[in-house]
Amino acid sequence: MNALVVCPECGHEWVPAEDGVQDAEPAGERVVRDSVGNVLQDGDTVTVAKALKVKGSPSGIKAGTKVRNIRLVDGVDGHDIDCRIDGFGAMQLKSSVVKKA
């Protein structure tokens, strides 16, 4: 079997495992990773990796802001972290803009 599998988003090509075992996580489990590839879980503490603009707020969220006790959700538009940030209140973040603390 010489078939290659191609990712439609990034164009990465690879040969699928012949015995049916994949290197990725189990198919039934959704795995959320931060901006550097660490696996995130409910209750983790993360740090905002880059400054974020917030609608209705003149200052936004600064890089380095700690967010405690996150909750992973199936959000809209890739927003997969539900959290409460001091000074801003409840909001959703993308896992690509945070890193595990």
Side-chain angles (χ1 to χ4, degrees), residues 16-24:
E18 292 183 16
D19 58 358
V21 177
Q22 298 291 327
D23 293 336

Side-chain angles (χ1 to χ4, degrees), residues 4 10 13 15-18 23-25 47 52 54 56 59-60 62 73 75 79 88-89 94 96:
L4 287 177
C10 67
E13 298 178 350
V15 178
E18 292 183 16
D23 293 336
E25 289 75 19
T47 304
L52 303 172
V54 179
S59 61
K62 295 179 181 178
V73 295
H79 293 88
F88 288 97
K94 292 184 178 183
S96 61

